Coordinates of all heavy atoms in Angstrom, one line a residue:
M1 N -1.1 -24.7 -18.9 CA -0.1 -25.1 -18.0 C 0.1 -26.6 -18.2 O -0.9 -27.4 -18.2 CB -0.5 -24.8 -16.5 CG 0.5 -25.1 -15.5 SD 0.3 -24.3 -14.0 CE -1.1 -25.2 -13.3
I2 N 1.3 -27.1 -18.2 CA 1.6 -28.5 -18.4 C 2.3 -29.0 -17.2 O 3.2 -28.3 -16.7 CB 2.5 -28.7 -19.7 CG1 1.8 -28.2 -20.9 CG2 2.9 -30.2 -19.8 CD1 2.7 -28.0 -22.1
I3 N 1.9 -30.2 -16.7 CA 2.5 -30.7 -15.5 C 3.3 -31.9 -15.9 O 2.8 -32.8 -16.5 CB 1.5 -31.2 -14.4 CG1 0.7 -29.9 -14.0 CG2 2.2 -31.8 -13.2 CD1 -0.5 -30.2 -13.1
S4 N 4.6 -31.9 -15.6 CA 5.5 -33.0 -15.9 C 5.5 -34.1 -14.8 O 4.9 -33.9 -13.8 CB 6.9 -32.5 -16.1 OG 7.5 -32.1 -14.9
K5 N 6.2 -35.2 -15.0 CA 6.3 -36.3 -14.1 C 6.8 -35.8 -12.7 O 6.4 -36.4 -11.7 CB 7.1 -37.4 -14.6 CG 6.6 -38.1 -15.8 CD 7.5 -39.1 -16.3 CE 7.5 -39.3 -17.8 NZ 8.5 -40.3 -18.2
E6 N 7.8 -34.9 -12.7 CA 8.4 -34.5 -11.5 C 7.6 -33.5 -10.7 O 8.1 -33.0 -9.7 CB 9.8 -33.9 -11.8 CG 10.7 -34.9 -12.5 CD 10.6 -34.8 -14.0 OE1 10.2 -33.8 -14.6 OE2 10.7 -35.9 -14.7
G7 N 6.4 -33.2 -11.1 CA 5.6 -32.2 -10.4 C 6.0 -30.8 -10.8 O 5.5 -29.8 -10.2
V8 N 6.8 -30.6 -11.8 CA 7.2 -29.3 -12.3 C 6.1 -28.9 -13.3 O 5.8 -29.6 -14.2 CB 8.6 -29.3 -12.9 CG1 8.9 -28.0 -13.5 CG2 9.6 -29.7 -11.9
N9 N 5.7 -27.7 -13.1 CA 4.6 -27.1 -14.0 C 5.3 -26.2 -15.1 O 6.2 -25.4 -14.6 CB 3.7 -26.3 -13.2 CG 3.0 -27.1 -12.2 OD1 2.0 -27.8 -12.5 ND2 3.4 -27.0 -10.9
V10 N 5.0 -26.4 -16.3 CA 5.6 -25.5 -17.3 C 4.5 -24.5 -17.7 O 3.4 -24.8 -18.1 CB 6.0 -26.3 -18.6 CG1 6.5 -25.3 -19.6 CG2 7.1 -27.3 -18.2
V11 N 4.8 -23.2 -17.5 CA 3.9 -22.1 -17.7 C 4.4 -21.3 -18.8 O 5.5 -20.9 -18.8 CB 3.7 -21.3 -16.4 CG1 2.8 -20.1 -16.6 CG2 3.3 -22.1 -15.2
S12 N 3.5 -20.9 -19.7 CA 3.9 -20.1 -20.8 C 3.3 -18.7 -20.6 O 2.0 -18.6 -20.5 CB 3.4 -20.6 -22.2 OG 3.8 -19.8 -23.2
I13 N 4.1 -17.7 -20.5 CA 3.7 -16.3 -20.3 C 4.4 -15.4 -21.3 O 5.6 -15.4 -21.4 CB 3.9 -15.9 -18.9 CG1 3.2 -16.7 -17.9 CG2 3.6 -14.4 -18.7 CD1 3.5 -16.5 -16.4
L14 N 3.6 -14.7 -22.1 CA 4.1 -13.9 -23.1 C 5.1 -14.6 -24.0 O 6.2 -14.0 -24.4 CB 4.8 -12.6 -22.5 CG 3.8 -11.6 -21.8 CD1 4.7 -10.5 -21.2 CD2 2.7 -11.1 -22.6
G15 N 4.8 -15.8 -24.3 CA 5.6 -16.6 -25.3 C 6.9 -17.2 -24.7 O 7.7 -17.9 -25.3
N16 N 7.1 -17.0 -23.4 CA 8.3 -17.6 -22.7 C 7.7 -18.7 -21.8 O 6.7 -18.6 -21.1 CB 9.0 -16.6 -21.8 CG 9.7 -15.6 -22.7 OD1 10.3 -15.9 -23.6 ND2 9.5 -14.3 -22.3
D17 N 8.4 -19.8 -21.7 CA 8.1 -20.9 -20.8 C 8.9 -20.8 -19.5 O 10.1 -20.6 -19.6 CB 8.4 -22.3 -21.5 CG 7.4 -22.6 -22.7 OD1 6.3 -22.0 -22.7 OD2 7.7 -23.5 -23.5
Y18 N 8.1 -21.1 -18.4 CA 8.7 -21.1 -17.1 C 8.4 -22.4 -16.4 O 7.3 -22.8 -16.4 CB 8.2 -19.9 -16.3 CG 8.4 -18.5 -16.9 CD1 7.5 -18.0 -17.8 CD2 9.6 -17.9 -16.6 CE1 7.8 -16.7 -18.3 CE2 9.8 -16.6 -17.2 CZ 9.0 -16.1 -18.0 OH 9.2 -14.8 -18.6
S19 N 9.4 -23.0 -15.9 CA 9.3 -24.3 -15.1 C 9.1 -23.9 -13.7 O 10.0 -23.3 -13.1 CB 10.4 -25.2 -15.3 OG 10.5 -25.6 -16.7
I20 N 8.0 -24.2 -13.1 CA 7.7 -23.9 -11.7 C 7.2 -25.1 -11.0 O 6.3 -25.8 -11.4 CB 6.6 -22.8 -11.6 CG1 7.0 -21.5 -12.5 CG2 6.3 -22.4 -10.2 CD1 5.9 -20.5 -12.6
K21 N 7.8 -25.3 -9.9 CA 7.4 -26.5 -9.0 C 6.6 -26.0 -7.9 O 7.1 -25.2 -7.0 CB 8.6 -27.3 -8.5 CG 8.2 -28.5 -7.7 CD 9.3 -29.4 -7.4 CE 8.8 -30.6 -6.7 NZ 9.7 -31.7 -6.7
A22 N 5.3 -26.3 -7.9 CA 4.4 -25.9 -6.8 C 4.6 -26.8 -5.6 O 4.8 -28.0 -5.8 CB 3.0 -25.9 -7.3
P23 N 4.4 -26.3 -4.4 CA 4.5 -27.2 -3.3 C 3.3 -28.2 -3.4 O 2.3 -27.9 -4.0 CB 4.2 -26.3 -2.0 CG 4.7 -25.0 -2.5 CD 4.3 -24.9 -4.0
E24 N 3.5 -29.4 -2.8 CA 2.5 -30.5 -2.9 C 1.2 -29.9 -2.4 O 1.1 -29.3 -1.3 CB 2.9 -31.6 -2.1 CG 2.0 -32.9 -2.3 CD 2.5 -34.2 -1.7 OE1 3.8 -34.3 -1.6 OE2 1.7 -34.9 -1.3
G25 N 0.1 -30.1 -3.2 CA -1.2 -29.7 -2.7 C -1.5 -28.2 -3.2 O -2.6 -27.8 -3.0
Q26 N -0.5 -27.5 -3.8 CA -0.7 -26.2 -4.2 C -0.8 -26.0 -5.7 O -0.7 -24.9 -6.2 CB 0.4 -25.3 -3.6 CG 0.4 -25.2 -2.1 CD -0.9 -24.5 -1.6 OE1 -1.2 -23.4 -2.1 NE2 -1.5 -25.1 -0.7
E27 N -0.9 -27.1 -6.4 CA -0.9 -27.1 -7.8 C -2.1 -26.2 -8.4 O -2.0 -25.4 -9.3 CB -1.0 -28.5 -8.4 CG 0.2 -29.3 -8.1 CD 0.2 -30.0 -6.8 OE1 -0.9 -29.9 -6.1 OE2 1.2 -30.7 -6.4
Q28 N -3.3 -26.3 -7.7 CA -4.4 -25.6 -8.2 C -4.2 -24.1 -7.9 O -4.7 -23.3 -8.7 CB -5.7 -26.1 -7.5 CG -7.0 -25.4 -8.1 CD -7.1 -25.7 -9.6 OE1 -7.1 -26.8 -10.1 NE2 -7.4 -24.6 -10.3
A29 N -3.7 -23.8 -6.8 CA -3.4 -22.4 -6.5 C -2.5 -21.8 -7.6 O -2.6 -20.6 -8.0 CB -2.7 -22.2 -5.1
L30 N -1.5 -22.5 -8.0 CA -0.6 -22.1 -9.1 C -1.3 -21.9 -10.4 O -1.2 -20.9 -11.1 CB 0.6 -23.1 -9.3 CG 1.6 -22.7 -10.4 CD1 2.2 -21.4 -10.3 CD2 2.6 -23.8 -10.6
A31 N -2.2 -22.9 -10.7 CA -3.0 -22.8 -11.9 C -3.9 -21.5 -11.9 O -4.0 -20.8 -12.8 CB -3.8 -24.0 -12.1
D32 N -4.5 -21.3 -10.7 CA -5.3 -20.1 -10.6 C -4.5 -18.8 -10.7 O -5.0 -17.9 -11.3 CB -6.1 -20.1 -9.2 CG -7.1 -21.2 -9.1 OD1 -7.4 -21.8 -10.2 OD2 -7.5 -21.5 -8.0
A33 N -3.3 -18.8 -10.2 CA -2.5 -17.6 -10.2 C -2.1 -17.4 -11.7 O -2.0 -16.2 -12.2 CB -1.2 -17.8 -9.4
V34 N -1.8 -18.4 -12.5 CA -1.4 -18.3 -13.8 C -2.6 -17.7 -14.6 O -2.4 -16.8 -15.4 CB -1.0 -19.6 -14.5 CG1 -0.9 -19.6 -16.0 CG2 0.4 -20.1 -13.8
I35 N -3.8 -18.2 -14.4 CA -5.0 -17.7 -15.0 C -5.2 -16.2 -14.7 O -5.5 -15.4 -15.6 CB -6.2 -18.5 -14.6 CG1 -6.1 -19.9 -15.3 CG2 -7.5 -17.8 -15.1 CD1 -7.2 -20.9 -14.7
M36 N -5.0 -15.9 -13.4 CA -5.2 -14.5 -13.0 C -4.1 -13.6 -13.7 O -4.5 -12.5 -14.2 CB -5.0 -14.3 -11.5 CG -5.2 -12.9 -11.0 SD -5.0 -12.8 -9.2 CE -6.4 -13.6 -8.6
L37 N -2.9 -14.0 -13.8 CA -1.8 -13.2 -14.4 C -2.2 -13.0 -15.9 O -2.0 -11.9 -16.5 CB -0.5 -13.9 -14.2 CG 0.7 -13.1 -14.9 CD1 0.8 -11.7 -14.4 CD2 2.0 -13.9 -14.6
K38 N -2.5 -14.1 -16.6 CA -2.8 -14.0 -18.0 C -4.0 -13.1 -18.2 O -4.0 -12.4 -19.2 CB -3.1 -15.4 -18.6 CG -1.8 -16.2 -18.7 CD -2.1 -17.6 -19.4 CE -0.7 -18.3 -19.7 NZ -0.9 -19.5 -20.4
S39 N -5.0 -13.2 -17.3 CA -6.2 -12.2 -17.5 C -5.8 -10.8 -17.3 O -6.2 -9.9 -18.0 CB -7.2 -12.6 -16.4 OG -8.3 -11.7 -16.5
A40 N -4.9 -10.6 -16.3 CA -4.4 -9.2 -16.1 C -3.5 -8.7 -17.3 O -3.6 -7.5 -17.6 CB -3.5 -9.2 -14.8
L41 N -2.8 -9.6 -17.9 CA -2.0 -9.2 -19.0 C -2.9 -8.9 -20.2 O -2.6 -7.9 -20.9 CB -1.0 -10.4 -19.5 CG 0.2 -10.6 -18.6 CD1 0.8 -11.9 -18.8 CD2 1.2 -9.4 -18.8
A42 N -3.9 -9.7 -20.4 CA -4.9 -9.3 -21.5 C -5.6 -8.0 -21.2 O -5.7 -7.2 -22.2 CB -5.9 -10.5 -21.6
E43 N -6.0 -7.8 -20.0 CA -6.7 -6.5 -19.7 C -5.7 -5.3 -19.9 O -6.1 -4.3 -20.5 CB -7.2 -6.5 -18.3 CG -7.9 -5.3 -17.8 CD -8.3 -5.3 -16.4 OE1 -8.5 -6.5 -15.8 OE2 -8.6 -4.2 -15.8
T44 N -4.5 -5.5 -19.4 CA -3.5 -4.4 -19.6 C -3.2 -4.1 -21.1 O -3.1 -3.0 -21.5 CB -2.2 -4.8 -18.8 OG1 -2.5 -5.0 -17.4 CG2 -1.2 -3.6 -18.9
K45 N -3.1 -5.2 -21.8 CA -2.9 -5.1 -23.3 C -4.0 -4.4 -24.0 O -3.8 -3.6 -24.9 CB -2.6 -6.5 -23.9 CG -2.2 -6.4 -25.3 CD -0.8 -5.8 -25.5 CE -0.4 -5.9 -26.9 NZ 0.9 -5.1 -27.1
R46 N -5.3 -4.7 -23.5 CA -6.4 -3.9 -24.1 C -6.3 -2.4 -23.8 O -6.6 -1.6 -24.6 CB -7.7 -4.5 -23.6 CG -8.2 -5.7 -24.3 CD -9.7 -6.1 -23.9 NE -9.8 -6.3 -22.5 CZ -9.6 -7.4 -21.8 NH1 -9.1 -8.4 -22.4 NH2 -9.8 -7.5 -20.5
N47 N -5.9 -2.1 -22.6 CA -5.9 -0.7 -22.2 C -4.6 0.0 -22.7 O -4.7 1.2 -22.9 CB -5.8 -0.6 -20.6 CG -7.2 -1.1 -20.0 OD1 -8.2 -1.0 -20.7 ND2 -7.1 -1.5 -18.8
Y48 N -3.5 -0.7 -22.9 CA -2.3 -0.1 -23.4 C -1.8 -1.0 -24.5 O -0.8 -1.7 -24.4 CB -1.2 0.0 -22.3 CG -1.8 0.8 -21.1 CD1 -2.4 0.1 -20.0 CD2 -1.6 2.1 -21.0 CE1 -2.8 0.8 -18.9 CE2 -2.0 2.9 -20.0 CZ -2.6 2.2 -18.9 OH -3.1 2.9 -17.8
P49 N -2.4 -0.9 -25.7 CA -2.1 -1.8 -26.8 C -0.6 -1.7 -27.4 O -0.1 -2.6 -28.0 CB -3.1 -1.4 -27.9 CG -3.7 -0.1 -27.5 CD -3.5 0.0 -26.1
T50 N 0.0 -0.6 -27.0 CA 1.4 -0.4 -27.6 C 2.4 -1.1 -26.7 O 3.6 -1.2 -27.1 CB 1.8 1.1 -27.8 OG1 1.6 1.7 -26.5 CG2 0.8 1.7 -28.8
L51 N 2.1 -1.4 -25.5 CA 3.0 -2.0 -24.5 C 3.3 -3.5 -25.0 O 2.4 -4.2 -25.4 CB 2.5 -2.1 -23.1 CG 2.5 -0.7 -22.4 CD1 2.0 -1.0 -21.0 CD2 3.9 -0.2 -22.3
I52 N 4.6 -3.9 -24.8 CA 5.0 -5.3 -25.2 C 6.0 -5.7 -24.1 O 6.6 -4.9 -23.4 CB 5.6 -5.4 -26.6 CG1 6.8 -4.5 -26.7 CG2 4.6 -5.1 -27.6 CD1 7.5 -4.7 -28.0
G53 N 6.2 -7.0 -24.0 CA 7.3 -7.6 -23.3 C 7.2 -7.2 -21.8 O 6.2 -7.3 -21.1
D54 N 8.4 -6.9 -21.3 CA 8.6 -6.6 -19.9 C 7.7 -5.5 -19.4 O 7.3 -5.5 -18.3 CB 10.1 -6.4 -19.6 CG 11.0 -7.6 -19.7 OD1 10.4 -8.7 -19.8 OD2 12.2 -7.4 -19.7
R55 N 7.6 -4.4 -20.2 CA 6.8 -3.3 -19.8 C 5.3 -3.7 -19.5 O 4.7 -3.3 -18.5 CB 6.9 -2.1 -20.8 CG 8.3 -1.5 -20.8 CD 8.3 -0.4 -21.8 NE 9.6 0.1 -22.0 CZ 10.1 1.1 -21.2 NH1 9.4 1.6 -20.2 NH2 11.4 1.5 -21.4
L56 N 4.8 -4.5 -20.4 CA 3.5 -5.0 -20.3 C 3.3 -5.9 -19.0 O 2.4 -5.7 -18.2 CB 3.0 -5.8 -21.5 CG 1.7 -6.5 -21.5 CD1 0.6 -5.5 -21.4 CD2 1.5 -7.4 -22.7
L57 N 4.3 -6.8 -18.8 CA 4.3 -7.6 -17.7 C 4.4 -6.8 -16.3 O 3.7 -7.1 -15.4 CB 5.5 -8.6 -17.7 CG 5.6 -9.7 -16.7 CD1 4.3 -10.6 -16.8 CD2 6.8 -10.6 -17.0
V58 N 5.3 -5.8 -16.3 CA 5.5 -5.0 -15.1 C 4.2 -4.3 -14.8 O 3.7 -4.2 -13.7 CB 6.7 -4.1 -15.2 CG1 6.7 -3.1 -14.1 CG2 8.0 -4.9 -15.2
L59 N 3.6 -3.6 -15.8 CA 2.3 -2.9 -15.6 C 1.2 -3.8 -15.1 O 0.5 -3.5 -14.2 CB 1.9 -2.1 -16.8 CG 0.7 -1.1 -16.6 CD1 1.0 -0.1 -15.5 CD2 0.4 -0.4 -17.9
A60 N 1.1 -5.0 -15.7 CA 0.1 -6.0 -15.2 C 0.3 -6.4 -13.8 O -0.6 -6.4 -13.0 CB 0.1 -7.1 -16.2
A61 N 1.6 -6.6 -13.5 CA 1.9 -7.0 -12.1 C 1.7 -5.9 -11.1 O 1.1 -6.1 -10.0 CB 3.4 -7.4 -12.0
L62 N 1.9 -4.6 -11.5 CA 1.6 -3.5 -10.6 C 0.1 -3.3 -10.4 O -0.3 -3.0 -9.3 CB 2.2 -2.2 -11.2 CG 3.7 -2.0 -11.0 CD1 4.3 -0.8 -11.8 CD2 4.1 -2.0 -9.6
N63 N -0.6 -3.6 -11.5 CA -2.1 -3.5 -11.4 C -2.6 -4.6 -10.4 O -3.5 -4.3 -9.5 CB -2.8 -3.7 -12.7 CG -2.7 -2.4 -13.5 OD1 -2.4 -1.3 -13.0 ND2 -2.7 -2.6 -14.8
L64 N -2.1 -5.8 -10.5 CA -2.4 -6.8 -9.6 C -2.0 -6.5 -8.1 O -2.8 -6.7 -7.2 CB -1.8 -8.2 -10.0 CG -2.4 -8.9 -11.2 CD1 -1.5 -10.1 -11.6 CD2 -3.8 -9.3 -10.9
C65 N -0.8 -6.0 -8.0 CA -0.4 -5.6 -6.6 C -1.3 -4.5 -6.0 O -1.6 -4.5 -4.9 CB 1.1 -5.2 -6.7 SG 2.2 -6.5 -7.0
S66 N -1.6 -3.5 -6.9 CA -2.5 -2.5 -6.4 C -3.8 -3.0 -5.9 O -4.3 -2.6 -4.9 CB -2.7 -1.5 -7.6 OG -3.6 -0.5 -7.2
K67 N -4.4 -4.0 -6.7 CA -5.6 -4.6 -6.2 C -5.5 -5.3 -4.9 O -6.3 -5.3 -4.1 CB -6.2 -5.5 -7.3 CG -6.7 -4.8 -8.6 CD -7.1 -5.8 -9.6 CE -7.5 -5.0 -10.9 NZ -7.8 -6.0 -12.0
Q68 N -4.3 -6.0 -4.8 CA -4.0 -6.7 -3.5 C -3.9 -5.8 -2.4 O -4.4 -6.1 -1.3 CB -2.7 -7.6 -3.7 CG -2.3 -8.3 -2.5 CD -3.4 -9.4 -2.1 OE1 -4.1 -9.9 -2.9 NE2 -3.4 -9.7 -0.8
V69 N -3.2 -4.7 -2.5 CA -3.1 -3.7 -1.5 C -4.5 -3.1 -1.1 O -4.8 -3.0 0.1 CB -2.2 -2.5 -1.9 CG1 -2.2 -1.4 -1.0 CG2 -0.7 -3.0 -2.0
E70 N -5.3 -2.9 -2.0 CA -6.7 -2.4 -1.8 C -7.5 -3.4 -1.0 O -8.2 -3.1 0.0 CB -7.4 -2.0 -3.1 CG -8.8 -1.5 -2.9 CD -9.5 -1.2 -4.2 OE1 -8.8 -1.0 -5.3 OE2 -10.7 -1.3 -4.2
L71 N -7.4 -4.7 -1.4 CA -8.1 -5.7 -0.7 C -7.6 -5.9 0.7 O -8.4 -6.2 1.6 CB -8.0 -7.1 -1.5 CG -8.8 -7.2 -2.8 CD1 -8.4 -8.5 -3.5 CD2 -10.3 -7.1 -2.5
K72 N -6.3 -5.8 0.9 CA -5.7 -6.0 2.2 C -6.2 -4.9 3.1 O -6.6 -5.1 4.3 CB -4.2 -5.9 2.1 CG -3.4 -6.2 3.4 CD -2.0 -6.3 3.1 CE -1.2 -6.5 4.4 NZ 0.2 -6.6 4.2
Q73 N -6.3 -3.6 2.6 CA -6.8 -2.5 3.4 C -8.2 -2.7 3.7 O -8.6 -2.5 4.9 CB -6.6 -1.2 2.6 CG -7.0 0.0 3.4 CD -6.8 1.3 2.6 OE1 -6.4 1.3 1.4 NE2 -7.2 2.4 3.2
R74 N -9.1 -3.1 2.8 CA -10.5 -3.3 3.0 C -10.6 -4.4 4.1 O -11.5 -4.4 4.9 CB -11.2 -3.6 1.8 CG -11.6 -2.4 1.0 CD -12.6 -2.6 0.0 NE -12.1 -3.4 -1.1 CZ -12.7 -3.9 -2.1 NH1 -14.0 -3.7 -2.3 NH2 -12.1 -4.6 -3.1
H75 N -9.8 -5.5 4.0 CA -9.9 -6.6 4.9 C -9.6 -6.1 6.3 O -10.3 -6.4 7.3 CB -8.9 -7.7 4.5 CG -8.8 -8.8 5.5 ND1 -9.8 -9.7 5.7 CD2 -7.9 -9.1 6.5 CE1 -9.5 -10.5 6.7 NE2 -8.3 -10.2 7.1
A76 N -8.5 -5.3 6.4 CA -8.2 -4.7 7.7 C -9.3 -3.9 8.4 O -9.6 -3.9 9.5 CB -6.9 -3.9 7.7
E77 N -10.0 -3.1 7.5 CA -11.1 -2.2 8.0 C -12.2 -3.1 8.4 O -12.9 -2.8 9.4 CB -11.5 -1.2 6.9 CG -10.5 -0.2 6.6 CD -10.7 0.6 5.3 OE1 -11.7 0.2 4.5 OE2 -9.9 1.5 5.0
E78 N -12.5 -4.1 7.6 CA -13.6 -5.0 8.0 C -13.3 -5.8 9.2 O -14.2 -6.0 10.1 CB -13.9 -6.0 6.8 CG -15.1 -6.9 7.0 CD -16.4 -6.2 7.0 OE1 -16.5 -5.0 6.6 OE2 -17.4 -6.7 7.5
L79 N -12.1 -6.2 9.4 CA -11.7 -6.9 10.6 C -11.9 -6.0 11.8 O -12.4 -6.4 12.9 CB -10.3 -7.4 10.5 CG -9.7 -8.2 11.7 CD1 -10.5 -9.4 11.9 CD2 -8.3 -8.5 11.4
E80 N -11.5 -4.7 11.7 CA -11.6 -3.8 12.8 C -13.0 -3.6 13.2 O -13.4 -3.5 14.3 CB -10.9 -2.4 12.4 CG -11.1 -1.3 13.5 CD -10.5 -1.6 14.8 OE1 -9.5 -2.4 14.8 OE2 -10.9 -1.1 15.8
R81 N -13.9 -3.5 12.2 CA -15.3 -3.3 12.4 C -15.9 -4.5 13.1 O -16.7 -4.4 14.1 CB -16.1 -3.1 11.0 CG -17.6 -2.8 11.2 CD -18.3 -2.7 9.8 NE -18.3 -3.9 9.2 CZ -19.1 -4.9 9.4 NH1 -20.0 -4.8 10.4 NH2 -19.2 -6.0 8.8
C82 N -15.5 -5.7 12.7 CA -16.0 -6.9 13.4 C -15.5 -7.0 14.8 O -16.3 -7.4 15.7 CB -15.6 -8.2 12.6 SG -16.4 -8.4 11.0
Q83 N -14.3 -6.6 15.0 CA -13.7 -6.6 16.4 C -14.5 -5.7 17.3 O -14.8 -5.9 18.5 CB -12.2 -6.3 16.4 CG -11.4 -7.4 15.8 CD -9.9 -7.1 15.7 OE1 -9.5 -5.9 15.5 NE2 -9.1 -8.1 15.7
Q84 N -14.9 -4.5 16.7 CA -15.7 -3.5 17.5 C -17.0 -4.1 17.9 O -17.5 -3.9 18.9 CB -15.8 -2.2 16.7 CG -14.5 -1.4 16.7 CD -14.6 -0.2 15.7 OE1 -15.6 0.0 15.1 NE2 -13.5 0.6 15.7
Q85 N -17.6 -4.8 16.9 CA -18.9 -5.4 17.1 C -18.9 -6.5 18.2 O -19.7 -6.6 19.1 CB -19.5 -6.0 15.9 CG -20.0 -4.9 14.9 CD -20.6 -5.6 13.6 OE1 -20.2 -6.7 13.2 NE2 -21.4 -4.9 13.0
V86 N -17.8 -7.3 18.2 CA -17.6 -8.3 19.1 C -17.4 -7.7 20.5 O -18.0 -8.2 21.5 CB -16.4 -9.3 18.7 CG1 -16.0 -10.2 19.9 CG2 -16.8 -10.1 17.5
S87 N -16.6 -6.7 20.6 CA -16.3 -6.0 21.9 C -17.6 -5.4 22.4 O -17.9 -5.5 23.6 CB -15.3 -4.9 21.7 OG -14.0 -5.4 21.4
A88 N -18.4 -4.8 21.6 CA -19.7 -4.2 22.0 C -20.6 -5.3 22.5 O -21.3 -5.1 23.6 CB -20.3 -3.4 20.9
T89 N -20.6 -6.4 21.9 CA -21.5 -7.6 22.3 C -21.0 -8.1 23.6 O -21.8 -8.4 24.5 CB -21.5 -8.7 21.2 OG1 -22.0 -8.1 19.9 CG2 -22.4 -9.8 21.6
V90 N -19.7 -8.3 23.8 CA -19.1 -8.8 25.0 C -19.5 -7.8 26.2 O -19.9 -8.2 27.2 CB -17.6 -9.0 24.9 CG1 -17.0 -9.2 26.3 CG2 -17.3 -10.1 24.0
E91 N -19.4 -6.5 25.9 CA -19.8 -5.5 26.9 C -21.2 -5.6 27.3 O -21.6 -5.6 28.5 CB -19.5 -4.1 26.4 CG -19.6 -3.0 27.4 CD -19.3 -1.7 26.9 OE1 -18.4 -1.6 26.0 OE2 -19.9 -0.7 27.3
V92 N -22.1 -5.8 26.4 CA -23.5 -6.0 26.7 C -23.8 -7.2 27.5 O -24.5 -7.2 28.5 CB -24.4 -6.0 25.4 CG1 -25.8 -6.4 25.6 CG2 -24.3 -4.6 24.7
I93 N -23.1 -8.3 27.1 CA -23.3 -9.6 27.8 C -22.7 -9.4 29.2 O -23.3 -9.9 30.2 CB -22.6 -10.7 27.1 CG1 -23.3 -11.0 25.8 CG2 -22.5 -12.0 28.0 CD1 -22.6 -12.0 24.9
S94 N -21.6 -8.8 29.4 CA -21.0 -8.6 30.7 C -21.9 -7.8 31.6 O -22.1 -8.1 32.8 CB -19.7 -7.9 30.6 OG -18.8 -8.7 30.0
K95 N -22.5 -6.8 31.1 CA -23.5 -5.9 31.9 C -24.7 -6.7 32.3 O -25.2 -6.6 33.4 CB -23.9 -4.7 31.1 CG -22.8 -3.6 31.0 CD -23.3 -2.4 30.2 CE -22.1 -1.4 30.1 NZ -22.6 -0.2 29.3
A96 N -25.2 -7.5 31.3 CA -26.3 -8.4 31.5 C -26.0 -9.4 32.7 O -26.9 -9.7 33.6 CB -26.9 -9.1 30.3
I97 N -24.9 -10.0 32.6 CA -24.5 -11.0 33.6 C -24.3 -10.3 35.0 O -24.7 -10.9 36.0 CB -23.2 -11.7 33.2 CG1 -23.5 -12.6 32.0 CG2 -22.6 -12.5 34.4 CD1 -22.2 -13.3 31.4
G98 N -23.8 -9.1 35.0 CA -23.6 -8.4 36.2 C -25.0 -8.0 36.9 O -25.0 -7.8 38.1
Q99 N -26.0 -7.9 36.1 CA -27.3 -7.5 36.6 C -28.1 -8.7 37.2 O -29.1 -8.5 37.9 CB -28.1 -6.8 35.5 CG -27.6 -5.5 35.1 CD -28.4 -4.9 34.0 OE1 -29.3 -5.5 33.4 NE2 -28.0 -3.7 33.6
V100 N -27.6 -9.9 36.9 CA -28.4 -11.0 37.4 C -28.0 -11.3 38.8 O -27.1 -11.1 39.4 CB -28.0 -12.3 36.5 CG1 -28.7 -13.5 37.0 CG2 -28.5 -12.0 35.1

């Protein structure tokens, strides 16, 4: 990734250059996203060596989205579990305070 004077990042993906301007302070997030996408493309290419161009890009993007959906679901489940624990703790504390 190349950063120009104007804060525009030039990203090369599958041989094509894309000029992307990241919001101030988000340059590292963009760099991390580029690394993640390139890694996903390489993994997808290993698994499907005959895919090229847009088809490779779309399958890699779908794989990333699938992982994101799974992480979002696990996060929601974990959040629910934590909320149940907090509620149970509050209930125990409320009962203890009521006994004093």
